[in-house]
DNA sequence: TATCTACTTTATAAGTATTCTAAAGTAGTA
DNA sequence: TACTACTTTAGAATACTTATAAAGTAGATA
């Protein structure tokens, strides 16, 4: 939960110019204690609701990708036609409800360590993600 | 590894008419001991190579979706712009190489049972999938 | 075998998410 | 203030997938 001057600082430190658009996106994404999951169109909607600023889709895409590159966001592998992002950048896993397309965190402490007894010659592990699909009882 | 008459039987039993197109797709997908992963465009390419028949993209999509519905194929959640399918319908997990976009199986025996100490009220687990992203060493 | 009907295939259009383009705007610097 | 590199933007382009509706076919029936 940072204020605008702090986002400006954060952006500058990342080598990103603190534009009106980037600051607004920071506010929408990080002005809360809770982390959350979103798609680009979710985010566009959120920005529209918080109103006052109008940001083009191209800029939203650009910004989200640069934030992801800087490590401020994570992309989540949900099989879907849309890409999901997560403001929770810690190592964790997900429940996914295909019905309402909602994601829920499974923290590292809520899942047993995954041990894989196989490796691929010449390759090393970059990440391990568990996706638990759920449905209504 | 079945012959055409057997695919015809299998299709009929599934309530799918054994058309020239569906039989050819069965041959391409199931005429091998090994299971494999593919995208729709991979499959279209394979069909073109095995030649003799020309199958429209719409039919390939339709057929793959009906095979999936019948349980002859599984869709794999790889974050990507393309949908991956798997002729291995047993419960297993995957390595994914983002570089060359290749999937490799991790059999159930090669991974420790995943125990999740969390549940979502009103929801039940439908599937648990582990995706291990790998890169060149 | 000829006929009928529901199912299937097909070309092509439509839909949708994402990226590209290149022109106009802006931040930081001198 | 002027300059330059970076950024934003509208709109075009791309790519995957689904929808449409007309033509074709499988299986059943007479
Ligand atoms: Mn990305
Ligand atoms: Mn599907
Ligand atoms: Zn999360
Ligand atoms: Zn597999």
């Amino acid at each position: 939960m940072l204020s605008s001057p702090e986002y400006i600082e954060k952006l500058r430190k990342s080598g990103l110019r603190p534009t009106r658009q980037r600051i607004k996106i920071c506010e929408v994404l990080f002005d809360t204690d809770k982390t959350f999951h979103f798609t680009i169109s979710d985010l566009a909607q959120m920005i529209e609701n918080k109103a006052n600023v109008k940001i083009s889709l191209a800029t939203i895409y650009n910004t989200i990708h640069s934030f992801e590159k800087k490590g401020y966001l994570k992309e989540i592998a949900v099989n879907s036609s849309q890409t999901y992002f997560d403001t929770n950048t810690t190592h964790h896993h997900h429940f996914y409800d295909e019905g309402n397309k909602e994601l829920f965190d499974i923290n590292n402490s809520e899942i047993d360590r995954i041990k894989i007894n196989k490796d691929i010659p010449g390759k090393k592990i970059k990440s391990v993600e568990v996706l638990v699909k759920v449905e209504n009882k």
Side-chain angles (χ1 to χ4, degrees), chain A:
Chain A
M1 185 119 57
L2 302 170
S3 64
S4 290
E6 291 174 289
Y7 293 131
I8 291 174
E9 191 55 25
K10 186 177 171 174
L11 288 166
R12 278 223 185 80
K13 276 184 182 156
S14 311
L16 299 171
R17 286 186 184 169
T19 61
R20 193 166 50 82
Q21 293 83 345
R22 284 171 176 162
I23 293 164
K24 170 57 72 180
I25 291 174
C26 280
E27 286 168 11
V28 172
L29 294 178
F30 309 121
D31 255 7
T32 167
D33 292 326
K34 290 194 249 302
T35 60
F36 63 97
H37 307 103
F38 65 94
T39 63
I40 293 290
S41 79
D42 291 338
L43 179 56
Q45 196 57 60
M46 292 171 78
I47 292 166
E48 232 170 73
N49 293 345
K50 280 216 167 187
N52 21 37
V53 204
K54 152 76 185 156
I55 305 179
S56 76
L57 253 192
T59 297
I60 297 177
Y61 273 101
N62 289 340
T63 302
I64 292 310
H65 282 128
S66 52
F67 283 9
E68 188 202 356
K69 199 166 294 170
K70 295 295 178 186
Y72 305 146
L73 291 173
K74 273 174 69 172
E75 202 172 318
I76 304 172
V78 177
N79 190 26
S80 157
S81 42
Q82 257 175 113
T83 304
Y84 282 78
F85 293 92
D86 197 338
T87 64
N88 180 352
T89 57
T90 66
H91 180 241
H92 68 285
H93 305 286
H94 294 95
F95 283 117
Y96 181 60
D97 184 339
E98 283 180 298
N100 54 20
K101 296 173 187 304
E102 242 185 317
L103 280 163
F104 305 92
D105 282 353
I106 303 173
N107 295 319
N108 239 6
S109 61
E110 293 163 332
I111 195 166
D112 285 5
R113 206 177 118 49
I114 290 140
K115 220 175 104 201
I116 297 149
N117 310 305
K118 187 186 187 181
D119 71 327
I120 303 184
K123 307 278 179 194
K124 62 167 184 274
I125 291 176
K126 221 164 84 179
S127 69
V128 177
E129 289 167 58
V130 180
L131 185 68
V132 180
K133 291 193 180 148
V134 297
E135 60 190 351
N136 290 330
K137 260 182 194 156

